[in-house]
Amino acid sequence: MGTGTVGPQSRQPVMADVAVLAGVSHQTVSRVLNDSPNVRPETRERVLTAIRELDYRRNTAARALVTKRSQTLGVISFDSTLYGPSHMLYGIEQAARGAGYFISIASLRHQDIRSVLEAVDRLRDQAVEGIAVIASQTSTVAALAQRVGTVPMVTVGATEPGRLPGAGVDNQAGAEAAVRYLLDLGHRTVHHVAGPANWLEAGAREAGWRTVLSAQGREVPPALPGDWSARSGYEAGLRLAADPAVTAVFCANDHMALGLLRALHEHGRRVPEEVSVVGFDDIPEAGYLTPPVTTVRQDFGELGRRGFELLRDLVRAADRSATGAGHRVATVAPELVLRASSGRATG
């Protein structure tokens, strides 16, 4: 295949140039660009080769004027340094790219109502077709409720039934599985290091912990507050390590479990011989701590993908003036991963 008539100093190549170089019709090039299945593999490869040789780039602005579609989705993210939000964002980006969408990201330091509303309006000014919000706090969901109907929106990571469509892990079910497992090992009760009170995930995990203990008629110890950090887990661990009656602890995330392990070690409390520890999230380091941590795994990449698919369905429904998407929630099941930080009660 030659290099055609379009040189490096000439005008930008257009779709017709690709069609000529590949020896196909304009419509065939369009089908390849839109990832249509109705193209033979050898034809698709000729078109893709021509695109590479010409360094052809779609004129998205012109396409948007014709189709009234920007092919762009907005994502509002908070504190992407945390393992969960950063991997949900990656999952959304990967799924969007595979479906031919662009992503515009608004990253916020705070989840107050004003910041969230400003981010929504800023993304709407960019003509995004829909917005995915990596939500975690009740204030975020409350803010989004004020913009319902202005643009299709979904939450990813945390959901509140009846508020907005969303994709989330069943945090309560994951916590219940962790606490039941510890009780089945013979522990009389399970202590809890909780996440921040204004985070939806933390509330659901604490609710799951309380539900199982209450249902089995066990003592419900006071939950110790944490802020997701290893430091807060360590500080809670100092209090728990000093109490010889503590034999099992469920932490609302793995980073706090890491801090707890340090405090127990410093006080000579052996894990799991004297105290069993279970975390939540299954961060990459969880399997390499001493001892490796039993935890509740949530698939953050899958959450991002489900959130994107839900948003894409809402956008398509809006194009058809359909209302079938409603307040649908896509739930991803958690998985209890057993490792060496938990064991049978010996007392």
Side-chain angles (χ1 to χ4, degrees):
M1 185 176 292
T3 58
T5 60
V6 180
Q9 303 302 319
S10 64
R11 63 176 172 80
Q12 289 294 315
V14 296
M15 196 181 296
D17 299 321
V18 176
V20 169
L21 186 55
V24 299
S25 69
H26 182 282
Q27 290 82 1
T28 298
V29 176
S30 178
R31 291 190 191 100
V32 172
L33 290 171
N34 289 299
D35 202 26
S36 169
N38 301 319
V39 181
R40 288 184 307 214
E42 59 272 21
T43 302
R44 184 184 303 277
E45 186 54 39
R46 286 212 316 275
V47 171
L48 293 174
T49 300
I51 288 171
R52 287 192 294 269
E53 287 195 22
L54 294 172
D55 195 24
Y56 168 73
R57 294 290 183 270
R58 302 176 80 172
N59 188 332
T60 55
R63 183 174 183 272
L65 287 173
V66 173
T67 63
K68 310 300 182 185
R69 298 282 302 276
S70 68
Q71 285 296 110
T72 301
L73 300 175
V75 180
I76 299 176
S77 179
F78 308 89
D79 197 358
S80 58
T81 59
L82 289 173
Y83 178 76
S86 65
H87 281 70
M88 284 185 276
L89 176 59
Y90 180 73
I92 295 171
E93 287 184 302
Q94 289 292 100
R97 184 181 302 117
Y101 281 86
F102 300 97
I103 291 293
S104 180
I105 301 172
S107 183
L108 303 183
R109 184 181 299 274
H110 304 294
Q111 300 195 43
D112 59 279
I113 291 178
R114 179 178 177 180
S115 296
V116 173
L117 293 179
E118 287 178 350
V120 170
D121 293 340
R122 189 162 64 249
L123 289 171
R124 289 176 61 206
D125 288 343
Q126 297 175 31
V128 299
E129 296 183 36
I131 299 174
V133 184
I134 299 177
S136 57
Q137 297 187 11
T138 53
S139 59
T140 305
V141 179
L144 296 175
Q146 298 184 32
R147 291 292 187 269
V148 168
T150 59
V151 62
M153 286 189 293
V154 301
T155 59
V156 182
T159 59
E160 273 195 322
R163 286 272 197 157
L164 286 167
V169 164
D170 192 336
N171 286 283
Q172 180 161 337
E176 290 176 357
V179 176
R180 275 196 299 268
Y181 165 70
L182 289 168
L183 295 180
D184 288 346
L185 289 174
H187 297 281
R188 292 189 177 89
T189 190
V190 177
H191 292 255
H192 182 47
V193 181
N198 58 336
W199 283 60
L200 295 166
E201 294 101 323
R205 293 169 196 177
E206 183 172 341
W209 165 74
R210 289 184 184 279
T211 295
V212 172
L213 292 182
S214 298
Q216 295 199 21
R218 307 299 181 95
E219 174 196 356
V220 182
L224 298 180
D227 62 8
W228 299 132
S229 70
R231 174 181 289 276
S232 67
Y234 175 76
E235 291 171 349
L238 293 177
R239 296 172 59 182
L240 294 170
D243 183 353
V246 173
T247 67
V249 184
F250 167 54
C251 294
N253 81 338
D254 289 337
H255 284 103
M256 293 192 297
L258 184 158
L260 173 72
L261 289 176
R262 170 68 180 271
L264 292 171
H265 174 74
E266 288 182 357
H267 279 70
R269 302 293 302 276
R270 294 176 301 156
V271 178
E273 292 83 0
E274 296 179 64
V275 182
S276 287
V277 176
V278 176
F280 205 110
D281 284 343
D282 196 25
I283 61 175
E285 299 84 0
Y288 298 94
L289 298 175
T290 303
V293 174
T294 294
T295 187
V296 179
R297 175 183 296 158
Q298 50 178 332
D299 189 335
F300 294 109
E302 177 67 8
L303 273 176
R305 186 183 70 80
R306 294 276 193 96
F308 163 75
E309 291 176 348
L310 185 55
L311 182 57
R312 181 193 58 193
D313 292 346
L314 284 172
V315 168
R316 290 175 175 174
D319 287 342
R320 300 190 304 268
S321 298
T323 58
H327 288 163
R328 196 176 69 194
V329 173
T331 302
V332 177
E335 176 190 359
L336 183 62
V337 180
L338 304 183
R339 296 194 180 105
S341 69
S342 54
R344 298 202 66 84
T346 56

